[in-house]
Amino acid sequence: MRLGFIGLGRMGHNVVLNLMDKGHGVVAYNRSPGKVRGVVKKGAIGAYSVAELVQKLQKPRVIILMVTAGSPVDAVLQQLLPLLSKGDAIIEAGNSWFEDSVRRYSLCKKKSVNFIDMGTSGGLAGARHGASLTIGGDKHVFRKYEKLFRDIAAKDGYAYVGSSGAGHFVKMVHNGIEYALEEAYAEGFELLNKSRYRLNLEKIAKVWSRGSIIRSYLSELAESVFRKDANLKKFRGSIGGGETGAWTLKVANREKVEMQTLAHALKIRKQSLKKQTFATKFVSALRAEFGGHKEAK
């Protein structure tokens, strides 16, 4: 099918390539024309305005948004909605606050436009070769576009999780868990690094990734991190990000669910802006490895 795609950052660019590999025609738009020209060279159809993107799609149109959460999403919707028709669909694939997604669903519903919130996980590799998707919105709309979700996702890596906002809510909690796990690994590797033994952390991460109880994608990434930079000299250790984790903790507090591990991880991230350690360097290195994330200034 031919679909529209707005937002060609690191993740968006890779999702577009993934979609084209699966035989989809992609009309791509980004505020920066250079990024549009870049994906056109790889087979996408370029659009240099939201209006041009809409014009190049047949009804019922399907448009995926992958832009920065918050006001940028609303700004795109303000441009997009007046141009769409009854039965068109918007799939919002960024890291949005789930209550914003509920509001946007209602806004689109008034114009008879379908709105799906899609939590997207898996970092740059997942975006390129198969992501993990949690999808919220009307179930009949999910079913209508299920093949599209299947094509974006890893094998068995997508699920309809509930009504409007559920997809982004589940992704928000996923990120909260991610922050806590990163901090747990970071503290362990810092202790190993400071021990009396001259330990090879790459070798340990490799062993832990093959059969241990704490094996995970993060331990595999740790192996890669230490292979490239054994002492993490390329990183200051000022960890960036944190917004979705803060949202998770906000909801946990509201629902009276204890998430002390996440609270600690967020505290360390904040402290890392002033005080860096081997552990905070490790978290920065992990984030760069899976998502190309830059350190905070």
Side-chain angles (χ1 to χ4, degrees):
M1 68 182 293
R2 178 182 283 198
L3 56 94
F5 201 101
I6 298 177
L8 299 172
R10 295 184 300 269
M11 289 287 288
H13 178 90
N14 277 6
V15 174
V16 167
L17 298 182
N18 185 13
L19 285 166
M20 291 193 296
D21 284 350
K22 304 292 172 50
H24 296 279
V26 180
V27 181
Y29 167 71
N30 193 83
R31 287 189 307 171
S32 305
K35 291 187 176 181
V36 178
R37 289 191 289 268
V39 292
V40 167
K41 289 179 181 178
K42 297 177 181 179
I45 302 160
Y48 295 90
S49 70
V50 171
E52 183 184 355
L53 179 138
V54 172
Q55 290 168 3
K56 289 183 175 180
L57 298 173
Q58 292 182 339
K59 300 178 184 180
R61 307 173 184 93
V62 181
I63 300 170
I64 299 175
L65 308 185
M66 209 163 202
V67 299
T68 305
S71 58
V73 179
D74 289 318
V76 171
L77 288 178
Q78 285 175 7
Q79 296 178 66
L80 192 56
L81 277 176
L83 304 173
L84 298 184
S85 305
K86 181 179 180 179
D88 290 346
I90 296 171
I91 299 170
E92 210 270 273
N95 274 331
S96 285
W97 169 239
F98 73 100
E99 291 183 353
D100 282 344
S101 299
V102 175
R103 171 177 56 80
R104 291 164 185 152
Y105 168 89
S106 297
L107 179 66
C108 290
K109 199 76 169 175
K110 290 177 182 176
K111 297 180 177 289
S112 299
V113 172
N114 297 306
F115 184 88
I116 289 287
D117 54 284
M118 184 174 81
T120 309
S121 180
L124 298 179
R128 181 65 183 88
H129 302 292
S132 173
L133 309 178
T134 52
I135 299 152
D138 293 338
K139 194 167 188 178
H140 73 274
V141 179
F142 161 77
R143 286 174 173 160
K144 182 176 181 179
Y145 297 111
E146 187 169 3
K147 184 184 183 303
L148 174 61
F149 300 131
R150 187 183 302 120
D151 286 346
I152 296 171
K155 188 179 186 311
D156 299 324
Y158 71 95
Y160 173 78
V161 294
S163 60
S164 177
H168 283 154
F169 179 79
V170 174
K171 177 56 165 51
M172 177 192 76
V173 177
H174 162 284
N175 284 18
I177 294 170
E178 172 200 317
Y179 295 176
L181 289 175
E182 287 170 354
E183 179 61 21
Y185 277 105
E187 291 170 7
F189 278 113
E190 181 169 34
L191 184 57
L192 293 174
N193 186 61
K194 287 184 174 178
S195 77
R196 71 178 71 180
Y197 304 104
R198 298 184 64 182
L199 299 171
N200 183 318
L201 299 185
E202 178 197 346
K203 186 181 293 185
I204 292 166
K206 180 178 181 180
V207 170
W208 281 353
S209 297
R210 289 155 178 81
S212 86
I213 295 299
I214 61 168
R215 67 187 181 274
S216 71
Y217 182 48
L218 290 177
S219 66
E220 293 172 12
L221 291 174
E223 179 186 347
S224 177
V225 161
F226 289 125
R227 183 187 314 120
K228 294 175 182 177
D229 184 7
N231 297 310
L232 307 182
K233 291 181 179 179
K234 296 178 182 177
F235 297 90
R236 293 190 312 276
S238 51
I239 308 168
E243 188 174 42
T244 50
W247 292 344
T248 305
L249 190 60
K250 174 182 176 180
V251 176
N253 290 335
R254 188 168 73 194
E255 301 297 335
K256 295 182 171 51
V257 174
E258 287 197 16
M259 298 192 80
Q260 294 182 14
T261 310
L262 172 58
H264 172 68
L266 289 170
K267 177 183 175 183
I268 296 299
R269 285 189 176 216
K270 185 176 182 180
Q271 289 177 346
S272 76
L273 302 180
K274 295 181 179 179
K275 179 185 177 183
Q276 295 83 41
T277 65
F278 187 86
T280 65
K281 288 182 179 182
F282 175 78
V283 174
S284 285
L286 274 187
R287 284 169 46 78
E289 189 71 17
F290 67 71
H293 298 295
K294 295 181 180 179
E295 293 187 283
K297 294 182 180 179

